[in-house]
Amino acid sequence: MTHSHTSLAELYDVAVIGGGINGAGIAADAAGRGLSVFLCEQDDLARHTSSASSKLIHGGLRYLEHYEFRLVREALGEREVLLAKAPHIVRPLRFVLPHRPHLRPAWMIRAGLFLYDHLGTRKTLPGSRSLRFGARSPLKAEIRRGFEYSDCWVDDARLVVLNAMAAREHGAQVQTRTRCLSASRNLDHWHLQLERADGSRFSIRARALVNAAGPWVARFIEIGLQQKAPHGIRLIQGSHLIVPRLYEGEHAYILQNEDRRIVFAIPYLERFTLIGTTDREYQGDPAQVRISEAETDYLLAVVNRHFKRQLSRDCILHSYSGVRPLCNDESADPSAVTRDYTLELSSNPGEPPLLSVFGGKLTTYRRLSEAALERLAPFFPQMGPCWTAGKPLPGGEQMSDSRTLAIQLREHHAWLAPELAQRWATSYGSRAWRLLEGVDGPGDLGEHFGASLHAREVDYLCMQEWAREAEDILWRRSKLGLFLNAEEQERLRAYLGTTARQSECRVLAP
Ligand SMILES: Cc1cc2nc3c(=O)[nH]c(=O)nc-3n(C[C@H](O)[C@H](O)[C@H](O)COP(=O)(O)OP(=O)(O)OC[C@H]3O[C@@H](n4cnc5c(N)ncnc54)[C@H](O)[C@@H]3O)c2cc1C
């Protein structure tokens, strides 16, 4: 199925609104099945919820307490699927659960871990076990026992970009910094009004519309479509702190708090520990969400209750915050609102369909995308079957793990600094070879901005990954924002801001 050029507006099979993980995942799946796809994102890819997560591909041990067996089983199975699809940006992570008997008895945790080990398919990830902590444990002396189990870690923002790239490689049109203002049904298709960041407007047509606007899903139905939303959306804020590395070792901690919530402490970028998250009802503009004083105190207090090393506000290097767009199930407790997703299809006979995505998790985006395409299948009889489970994401082709790839990169490019080889292997997987095409030495990497960032990589990100502004590169395509000082960041801004560069990026942009 191809899109046709008409004097009206380009006609696609599917138009997807939202370049978070769900929109990008659906676009990739649809394009790979032979549908012509258009995706628009009002900001940068993964600018909102999908870069503000705890970055875990996890079954969600605590969801078992809310009897969410379907969600947990599906999520557990996805750990191995995503590990194989994107071994550069997904890696196994062991979790240590310190036991605090007054919060949850040992039998309950053992039963939960037994289910966790057996509910989903587990091929490479080791099972759970009990632990005893010795004198060298970073935990307080009174915490003597605990448990250990497996989940996975993912670079959330890069997962979105790789899905958008997969969509593009299957022919999709991906337009960032393009907001969908409105959409209306016109006989057998939708007519979408779109606006670029420079204020210019254009239209496209689509046989099906997918609303994956995340925190804006209901708002888009009400304002963009002038309809009543079928579900309410609960915005539940969650925040994270980044502090200097709190403990040695490659494992994460899952800490149980007195309010029965859990907080993770996760090793982050070798030098740091990521601490999160909170759960609190949020009423404001999703684009303006910021960590509150109370959340900061809460996270520090949970860590300080568990670890010997005590943290104060001075230890915080960075923080970030996002809102979970959850389907409103009327739960009184924000932690108990379901993390499962709901797909809402609206279409009367003869009308083009509207599919809206409510809720979801990073972990289950691929299954959610399959379910979305299944709902759209009746409208596209020639559409291909499910395909995403066994196919690598861009960069995941022909690689086993990023450590081996980094060694291979240095075997072919002996001048490559080990730190850069490792970072590129972890970020770009086998696409790192493309970054190195025609590069014969450090001189070919171009202007140096700080840390291991050079013009070569910046240009690649502009040309291949839709990067436009410094923040796209510093906080989403990479996390170099944690390593470049203010003056270095300014130099990157100046480089990207030169008219020549902007027009070059636009010309070369995918
Ligand atoms: C604190 C926190 C921790 C989390 N931790 C985890 C975790 O560890 N593991 C996990 O699996 N999940 C986790 N999640 C959940 C996960 O992050 C979300 O479910 C997921 O990112 C939602 O993706 P989305 O695509 O629906 O929304 P988003 O990422 O918000 O994407 C929606 C996009 O739509 C765009 N948009 C909206 N309106 C328009 C319009 N009119 N035109 C064009 N574009 C538009 C927005 O700009 C936005 O980028 C966490 C969430 C939070 C908040």
Side-chain angles (χ1 to χ4, degrees):
M1 278 164 255
T2 52
H3 51 260
S4 56
H5 291 270
T6 69
S7 55
L8 279 165
E10 198 133 3
L11 176 64
Y12 294 86
D13 289 326
V14 181
V16 181
I17 296 165
I21 191 57
N22 289 325
I26 292 170
D29 194 336
R33 293 177 195 236
L35 301 182
S36 63
V37 175
F38 174 90
L39 179 142
C40 65
E41 162 53 50
Q42 63 187 359
D43 294 314
D44 179 29
L45 294 168
R47 167 70 181 80
H48 296 285
T49 327
S50 298
S51 58
S53 81
S54 304
K55 312 181 198 304
L56 303 178
I57 300 289
H58 62 159
L61 189 54
R62 101 190 153 71
Y63 309 145
L64 289 172
E65 283 186 336
H66 303 294
Y67 307 108
E68 301 228 40
F69 296 117
R70 194 210 71 80
L71 171 64
V72 176
R73 178 183 288 116
E74 186 169 294
L76 286 171
E78 282 305 280
R79 297 177 307 186
E80 301 263 5
V81 174
L82 296 176
L83 204 48
K85 262 178 91 69
H88 46 326
I89 60 157
V90 181
R91 60 178 163 78
L93 184 58
R94 285 297 271 179
F95 283 77
V96 170
L97 171 80
H99 185 223
R100 304 186 70 204
H102 66 290
L103 294 178
R104 287 174 182 88
W107 67 263
M108 184 190 271
I109 296 175
R110 269 198 211 97
L113 288 172
F114 179 83
L115 279 175
Y116 213 71
D117 281 343
H118 295 98
L119 260 180
T121 326
R122 196 162 48 80
K123 284 179 264 171
T124 60
L125 296 171
S128 62
R129 65 184 186 114
S130 298
L131 295 175
R132 278 184 191 280
F133 305 120
R136 292 176 54 198
S137 158
L139 298 171
K140 288 191 166 168
E142 66 265 27
I143 305 176
R144 294 197 196 96
R145 293 180 58 194
F147 302 89
E148 195 183 80
Y149 66 94
S150 291
D151 266 326
C152 291
W153 185 91
V154 65
D155 185 326
D156 52 3
R158 292 204 57 75
L159 185 66
V160 177
V161 172
L162 297 190
N163 273 280
M165 288 171 77
R168 183 183 65 205
E169 287 170 14
H170 284 101
Q173 263 292 327
V174 177
Q175 300 276 342
T176 62
R177 299 193 155 88
T178 304
R179 184 194 308 267
C180 181
L181 300 171
S182 64
S184 52
R185 284 186 168 106
N186 189 351
L187 303 173
D188 63 345
H189 64 263
W190 285 94
H191 186 91
L192 278 73
Q193 275 287 342
L194 299 137
E195 186 177 67
R196 298 190 189 91
D198 63 6
S200 61
R201 291 191 177 182
F202 66 106
S203 304
I204 62 139
R205 298 176 302 147
R207 296 188 175 92
L209 181 62
V210 174
N211 174 3
W216 290 269
V217 60
R219 199 186 133 97
F220 182 75
I221 297 176
E222 278 150 20
I223 295 171
L225 306 178
Q226 299 283 314
Q227 292 176 17
K228 193 173 152 16
H231 296 288
I233 196 98
R234 285 270 287 275
L235 298 181
I236 307 290
Q237 175 174 4
S239 300
H240 289 84
L241 305 176
I242 296 172
V243 300
R245 194 175 182 133
L246 185 58
Y247 56 88
E248 291 307 310
E250 295 301 307
H251 56 283
Y253 285 91
I254 170 169
L255 310 174
Q256 304 177 76
N257 192 28
E258 310 296 323
D259 60 7
R260 292 182 72 81
R261 288 197 62 265
I262 50 125
V263 168
F264 295 107
I266 304 169
Y268 193 54
L269 302 173
E270 312 283 336
R271 296 194 213 166
F272 311 113
T273 300
L274 177 65
I275 298 165
T277 174
T278 48
D279 276 283
R280 63 174 221 152
E281 204 87 40
Y282 184 77
Q283 309 287 354
D285 175 356
Q288 299 301 327
V289 61
R290 300 279 178 280
I291 187 168
S292 69
E293 301 277 306
E295 285 177 289
T296 304
D297 291 340
Y298 176 91
L299 292 173
L300 292 176
V302 177
V303 168
N304 288 341
R305 256 197 292 281
H306 285 82
F307 286 90
K308 286 177 189 150
R309 196 140 129 219
Q310 297 290 289
L311 293 178
S312 67
R313 281 177 176 244
D314 299 339
C315 306
I316 302 170
L317 300 170
H318 184 68
S319 64
Y320 61 84
S321 197
V323 287
R324 304 171 184 83
L326 303 182
C327 201
N328 192 358
D329 62 4
E330 313 288 335
S331 298
D333 171 9
S335 306
V337 182
T338 181
R339 264 51 174 173
D340 213 344
Y341 54 81
T342 303
L343 298 175
E344 200 60 44
L345 184 77
S346 112
S347 164
N348 292 316
E351 272 186 1
L354 163 69
L355 186 77
S356 301
V357 177
F358 290 83
K361 291 193 62 68
L362 221 53
T363 307
T364 47
Y365 88 90
R366 197 194 61 80
R367 295 292 297 268
L368 179 150
S369 305
E370 280 185 349
L373 269 294
E374 206 171 290
R375 301 296 295 275
L376 293 177
F379 302 90
F380 300 103
Q382 302 96 313
M383 185 174 96
C386 299
W387 66 277
T388 54
K391 286 278 187 317
L393 280 166
E397 311 93 343
Q398 288 153 9
M399 69 168 286
S400 53
D401 62 275
S402 57
R403 225 170 275 256
T404 312
L405 177 60
I407 293 168
Q408 290 166 342
L409 291 173
R410 293 197 66 233
E411 274 166 10
H412 286 79
H413 299 274
W415 54 269
L416 203 57
E419 186 207 353
L420 182 60
Q422 190 55 56
R423 189 170 67 72
W424 280 7
T426 315
S427 303
Y428 307 110
S430 51
R431 298 289 164 108
W433 295 112
R434 295 196 188 176
L435 258 153
L436 284 162
E437 261 166 37
V439 180
D440 296 321
D444 291 341
L445 292 175
E447 184 174 347
H448 178 228
F449 297 103
S452 55
L453 184 67
H454 291 80
R456 174 78 189 178
E457 186 174 3
V458 172
D459 293 348
Y460 172 86
L461 291 172
C462 291
M463 288 187 275
Q464 296 298 323
E465 298 197 1
W466 297 274
R468 292 286 176 279
E469 293 177 6
E471 277 57 33
D472 306 350
I473 292 171
L474 295 171
W475 297 109
R476 288 180 288 280
R477 303 308 180 279
S478 79
K479 294 292 182 281
L480 289 166
L482 285 164
F483 300 90
L484 265 66
N485 64 32
E487 184 252 326
E488 292 167 334
Q489 297 194 13
E490 208 39 59
R491 234 158 3 93
L492 173 64
R493 236 164 249 127
Y495 178 80
L496 288 165
T498 55
T499 353
R501 173 98 6 226
Q502 276 184 346
S503 56
E504 187 184 327
C505 284
R506 218 167 282 138
V507 171
L508 295 169

